[in-house]
Amino acid sequence: MHPPGVRNFLLLVSSLLFLGLSAVPQSFSPSLRSLSGAPCRLSRAESERRCRAPGQPPGGALCHDRGRCECGVCICQVTEPGTYFGPLCECHEWVCETYDGKTCAGHGTCDCGKCRCDVGWSGEACQYPTKCDLTKKISNQMCKNSQDVICSNAGTCHCGRCKCDNSDGNGLIYGKFCECDDRECIDDETEEICGGHGKCYCGNCYCEAGWHGDKCEFQCDITPWESKRRCTSPDGKICSNRGTCVCGECSCHDVDPTGDWGDIHGDTCECDERDCRAVYDRYSDDFCSGHGQCNCGRCDCRAGWYGKNCEHPTSCPLSVEESARKCQSGSDLPCSGRGKCECGRCTCYPPGDSRVYGKTCECDDRRCEDLEGVVCGGHGTCSCGRCVCEKGWFGKLCQHPRKCNMTEEQSKSLCESADGTLCSGKGSCHCGKCICSAEEWYISGEFCDCDDRDCDKHDGLICTGNGICSCGNCECWDGWNGNACEIWLGTEYP
């Protein structure tokens, strides 16, 4: 016998169980299961109704035909990486457009693969403001690419943002500055992108295994693993990091467009003739200071000479180290990277150029010239690479007048950088021109928005000391070429 309290509790449970069972529809199918594996308490009709899109008649597609229905819940089929389907598998793609690295440009929300823009913004990525407060000058400045071309000549500028020319609606031109043109990837014969054997990213084809060529048009008859093995250099690098592996053969990079300097060769590009050239060798066709033979990037010196580049005569009473120290003085490089050190004495280069002089070639009056070759802006004289300005002028190149005829407001309006900040917050404004902070030597540009550390170096010098760093790019002086102005294309010297 159970105590009265327990007996009453059991009766209550039995009643509730009976009521619950009687509430189950007659069409209940024990074969339906919930996600947890328990029998589904929904009728098949109710389960399918919940898996159909609103307005769909009975018998219509379940889960948009992109999944299966389990107890009123859609289990979507994910057939591609990165895809996601919504509660009824109605969304084909969950990734929304981005602008400048931000989803929906930070001015909207991503909903089922499409950006829903905040008030005041429009565009596929919500990148265009409906009202523009920028001046045309600032707007165009914001739309310039690294070569100072507005929207890469492939689009129009709308309030500081590029709208790329895609009149045919294929979207092949894209990028923050319309710098990517995937039409470059279309094969002329097949009219397919990368010949149907690769993917195109910003105008460049990345081929599938076994295919190569600019547009993946050539098939390789060896396996990718065999191709990699043949291209691996003795130090374990593919083409010595100086070339591209194409079907088991290395195509070595030639850093000199003339082919006369910087020759890289070898089965795996392991030989780099640049290692045989001393700083001053670029003015002639010589290797190894003209006193030896270059063999796969190493100098074999003739009798009477030694050193890495055969630069030191055995007749010199100084050692290589002592000679270099005497030529170095306060500079990081012998002869300030502008001349030839021989037995502790510097011969400055280019030969015959009186603008480069000094015991260790420390004076370079070319530094007093602007891109047009004007010395000290026409308002000063050059002394050992530094401008001495006339009265009433100042600045690195004497480019700023001390007296200004502008109001402060007029001056500041001309000093606003692309984002509206005065001289990018890295300088002061004087007479409508920015004077960049002297404490940060590398800051330059019209609005102090450039970093000269971005300019290429060679022999430890920015632009090799043979040009001016202009907003991250080297502007070379006459006779010089190369990303770092390291290639001499002027007159040959004996």
Side-chain angles (χ1 to χ4, degrees):
M1 290 293 291
H2 296 290
V6 174
R7 202 165 44 245
N8 292 338
F9 173 75
L10 291 173
L11 286 170
L12 178 62
V13 171
S14 300
S15 301
L16 290 172
L17 182 60
F18 174 76
L19 288 171
L21 289 172
S22 65
V24 176
Q26 294 300 312
S27 59
F28 166 69
S29 172
S31 63
L32 286 177
R33 297 270 171 181
S34 68
L35 292 176
S36 63
C40 181
R41 303 188 66 78
L42 298 177
S43 68
R44 185 177 295 278
E46 176 61 17
S47 173
E48 291 180 353
R49 185 189 70 77
R50 295 187 183 188
C51 288
R52 275 194 298 270
Q56 281 274 359
L62 300 179
C63 306
H64 286 81
D65 277 339
R66 296 184 183 134
R68 67 181 189 276
C69 181
E70 289 195 4
C71 198
V73 177
C74 284
I75 309 299
C76 305
Q77 297 169 349
V78 181
T79 55
E80 301 172 18
T83 55
Y84 169 81
F85 304 101
L88 297 176
C89 307
E90 71 274 20
C91 301
H92 176 66
E93 184 67 58
W94 70 275
V95 178
C96 279
E97 294 286 338
T98 61
Y99 178 80
D100 201 15
K102 297 178 182 177
T103 302
C104 302
H107 302 300
T109 54
C110 184
D111 182 15
C112 201
K114 291 188 177 180
C115 288
R116 295 196 181 276
C117 302
D118 298 337
V119 176
W121 295 89
S122 64
E124 291 182 355
C126 304
Q127 70 270 45
Y128 304 119
T130 51
K131 184 180 178 183
C132 186
D133 297 323
L134 300 177
T135 64
K136 189 172 182 180
K137 178 182 177 181
I138 293 176
S139 175
N140 286 341
Q141 190 70 27
M142 291 173 69
C143 285
K144 288 182 179 179
N145 63 15
S146 58
Q147 281 77 44
D148 264 0
V149 179
I150 295 174
C151 299
S152 307
N153 285 334
T156 51
C157 185
H158 294 264
C159 199
R161 292 162 173 81
C162 288
K163 190 170 186 179
C164 304
D165 295 334
N166 282 302
S167 53
D168 49 8
N170 56 22
L172 293 178
I173 302 175
Y174 57 96
K176 184 179 179 181
F177 302 106
C178 305
E179 70 276 15
C180 296
D181 188 350
D182 283 359
R183 293 175 301 180
E184 299 291 330
C185 292
I186 297 175
D187 189 287
D188 295 332
E189 292 185 10
T190 65
E191 295 187 351
E192 289 186 90
I193 287 181
C194 301
H197 305 297
K199 297 284 186 183
C200 184
Y201 298 100
C202 204
N204 294 295
C205 282
Y206 293 83
C207 306
E208 297 171 355
W211 292 86
H212 62 98
D214 290 341
K215 296 176 182 177
C216 308
E217 66 271 35
F218 302 115
Q219 191 169 13
C220 190
D221 56 0
I222 60 175
T223 65
W225 295 274
E226 177 61 19
S227 175
K228 182 178 178 180
R229 186 191 68 78
R230 294 184 188 182
C231 288
T232 302
S233 58
D235 59 1
K237 297 173 183 174
I238 302 297
C239 300
S240 306
N241 286 346
R242 300 189 189 108
T244 306
C245 183
V246 178
C247 204
E249 293 185 3
C250 285
S251 175
C252 303
H253 300 321
D254 188 1
V255 297
D256 177 10
T258 68
D260 296 332
W261 186 86
D263 190 31
I264 297 170
H265 60 92
D267 290 342
T268 57
C269 308
E270 69 276 12
C271 299
D272 189 346
E273 304 298 336
R274 292 177 298 179
D275 294 338
C276 285
R277 288 190 180 270
V279 174
Y280 46 85
D281 276 341
R282 64 170 63 94
Y283 304 100
S284 68
D285 281 334
D286 285 338
F287 285 97
C288 306
S289 310
H291 306 303
Q293 179 70 39
C294 183
N295 291 315
C296 197
R298 292 191 175 188
C299 285
D300 293 333
C301 302
R302 290 203 297 265
W305 296 89
Y306 69 103
K308 181 185 175 185
N309 298 113
C310 307
E311 73 277 19
H312 200 69
T314 54
S315 58
C316 177
L318 302 175
S319 67
V320 174
E321 292 76 18
E322 288 171 330
S323 173
R325 267 197 302 272
K326 288 194 79 171
C327 287
Q328 204 160 328
S329 186
S331 171
D332 293 332
L333 294 168
C335 302
S336 307
R338 302 185 190 104
K340 174 181 181 180
C341 177
E342 196 169 289
C343 199
R345 288 178 171 240
C346 288
T347 304
C348 301
Y349 283 81
D353 192 335
S354 59
R355 293 174 298 175
V356 182
Y357 58 95
K359 186 177 179 182
T360 57
C361 308
E362 69 276 14
C363 297
D364 187 350
D365 286 356
R366 295 174 300 177
R367 295 189 174 280
C368 292
E369 299 176 8
D370 60 18
L371 292 175
E372 282 73 44
V374 179
V375 176
C376 300
H379 306 295
T381 55
C382 188
S383 175
C384 195
R386 291 177 179 270
C387 285
V388 180
C389 302
E390 296 171 355
K391 187 178 180 180
W393 294 87
F394 71 101
K396 187 178 179 183
L397 296 175
C398 305
Q399 71 271 42
H400 300 297
R402 292 194 180 277
K403 188 176 180 181
C404 183
N405 296 322
M406 291 183 184
T407 65
E408 190 173 351
E409 283 188 5
Q410 288 174 327
S411 176
K412 285 184 176 179
S413 69
L414 296 173
C415 287
E416 286 186 352
S417 51
D419 59 1
T421 308
L422 200 68
C423 300
S424 306
K426 298 173 182 175
S428 57
C429 183
H430 174 76
C431 208
K433 291 188 177 181
C434 288
I435 302 174
C436 304
S437 170
E439 294 177 6
E440 297 175 292
W441 62 267
Y442 46 85
I443 298 299
S444 66
E446 185 181 357
F447 300 103
C448 302
D449 51 350
C450 301
D451 189 334
D452 284 355
R453 292 176 299 183
D454 293 336
C455 275
D456 288 303
K457 289 183 179 181
H458 188 72
D459 290 333
L461 294 171
I462 290 176
C463 303
T464 327
N466 300 317
I468 298 172
C469 182
S470 176
C471 213
N473 293 295
C474 288
E475 299 282 350
C476 304
W477 287 313
D478 286 343
W480 296 94
N481 201 350
N483 290 337
C485 305
E486 75 278 22
I487 302 168
W488 172 253
L489 297 179
T491 307
E492 288 187 8
Y493 294 90

